[in-house]
Amino acid sequence: MLVIWGRKNSVNVQKVLWCCEEMNLAYRRIDAGGAFGVVDTAEYRNLNPNGLVPTIEDDGFVLWESNAIVRYLAAKHSAGDLWSDDLRTRANGDRWMDWSTSTFWPAIRTLFLGLVRTAPENRDPKAMEEARVKTAGVLAAVDGYLSSHEFLSGERWAAASGAG
Ligand SMILES: N[C@@H](CCC(=O)N[C@@H](CS)C(=O)NCC(=O)O)C(=O)O
């Protein structure tokens, strides 16, 4: 059975869990990262030298990087559906998944960590406001795309439709 290493409250683990749920794919999840630790053990570093979650093991095949995992699982279990047969639908999705990692996350990171992971008394309001403004700016690209497309993957629901 597919094994997913990673705590449920990680946004990157959630991408993988969401993908599995969409496909009704059975899996076993092992808590790792954050308060659970594990990611600094030699056993885990052997699977993922970055010491981050998620990581999957699929019949001896090990993979990390959440977007790569989503693409792998969708291609393996949902060809023609979540893993579209249409090259351009897949490319649209790939584009937004890459954008999410390269543009959206760097913009929203300070805001997310401040609001979700930091006690109110320890927050840095100035840095969070700067992040809010930056995030609103980069999200304009999403608004623009979705003004003429149903999903981030184009006109149909596909693997990257939930990117970001
Ligand atoms: N680009 C990586 C980022 C992975 C990442 O940063 N994961 C965070 C959780 S969202 C992590 O492992 N943080 C350390 C920890 O949880 O101990 C991916 O998409 O998988």
Side-chain angles (χ1 to χ4, degrees), residues 7 10-13 15 32-34 37 39 51-54 64-67 101 105:
R7 55 189 167 89
S10 147
V11 289
N12 289 306
V13 172
K15 287 183 209 169
V39 293
L52 297 172
V53 292
W64 40 264
E65 279 299 328
S66 57
N67 290 346
T101 303
W105 177 243

Side-chain angles (χ1 to χ4, degrees), residues 17 19 28 54 56-57 66 77 101 110 112 132-133 135-136 146 159:
L17 301 180
C19 180
R28 181 166 74 92
I56 64 163
E57 291 180 88
S66 57
H77 298 286
T101 303
T110 301
F112 173 79
R132 186 192 67 76
V133 170
T135 302
L146 290 179

